[in-house]
Amino acid sequence: MSGKKKPAGKQIALCLLLTAAVDGLGVLLVTLLAVKGIVGEDRVPQALGALAFCAAFAGGLPAGKGRLGPGGSLLNAGAFALLLILLCFGGWGEGIAVRGLILLALILLGGLLAALLCGKVGKRSNKRLVKSHKKLRSVGRRSFFAVWSDMGRFCGG
């Protein structure tokens, strides 16, 4: 079972759980730092925004490596934003304030960054191109010691 990918729904659910856990632990940490006086009251919204961005990014990276590809990162960020809307903002009669919209935008931005990074990861080949006599040829990866010995030859050692 090590080579098989998880079903898309299970992957997104696990990544959403990871995102919520990172955000929950971070909120507890920011609360503790605010109570101790290390983080001022005026800096708590910025800290929570940065935390939501990091949580969406942390959950979006493994979500983007699943069957859905980079779209899984965006789906994870959207699901996390919906979860926060239902849990945090749904109980308030006033609706979502400007700070809440900024928080949701940061969550989606974290998911977008994770999707962009997941789209590029794994596309690079293990081979590099070497110019030799005006022709490009493909060369496999070399060990550190092989490169070190070549450097010794070129540097006169």
Side-chain angles (χ1 to χ4, degrees):
M1 188 158 192
S2 62
K4 294 181 182 178
K5 289 187 178 181
K6 294 178 184 161
K10 188 175 182 180
Q11 178 87 18
I12 294 297
L14 288 174
C15 292
L16 182 61
L17 184 65
L18 172 70
T19 306
V22 168
D23 191 54
L25 291 174
V27 167
L28 290 175
L29 180 66
V30 168
T31 304
L32 177 69
L33 292 175
V35 168
K36 293 286 184 182
I38 298 170
V39 174
E41 269 188 55
D42 56 336
R43 299 289 182 208
V44 170
Q46 289 93 352
L48 291 177
L51 179 67
F53 174 82
C54 292
F57 180 73
L61 284 177
K65 294 180 183 177
R67 287 190 175 184
L68 297 176
S73 298
L74 296 174
L75 183 63
N76 181 56
F80 181 58
L82 184 64
L83 180 71
L84 280 186
I85 287 171
L86 291 175
L87 290 178
C88 300
F89 305 128
W92 293 17
E94 304 94 43
I96 299 175
V98 174
R99 286 184 181 173
L101 291 175
I102 292 171
L103 186 72
L104 294 175
L106 286 171
I107 290 170
L108 295 177
L109 190 64
L112 180 65
L113 181 64
L116 290 175
L117 288 177
C118 286
K120 293 181 182 177
V121 172
K123 303 257 180 182
R124 184 176 164 202
S125 173
N126 282 340
K127 300 196 179 231
R128 57 189 172 91
L129 295 176
V130 176
K131 192 171 184 178
S132 170
H133 299 289
K134 297 186 180 182
K135 287 179 16 182
L136 292 177
R137 60 185 174 92
S138 180
V139 177
R141 289 195 177 224
R142 299 174 53 201
S143 71
F144 171 76
F145 298 108
V147 173
W148 186 264
S149 66
D150 286 346
M151 284 178 49
R153 278 187 258 149
F154 291 130
C155 296

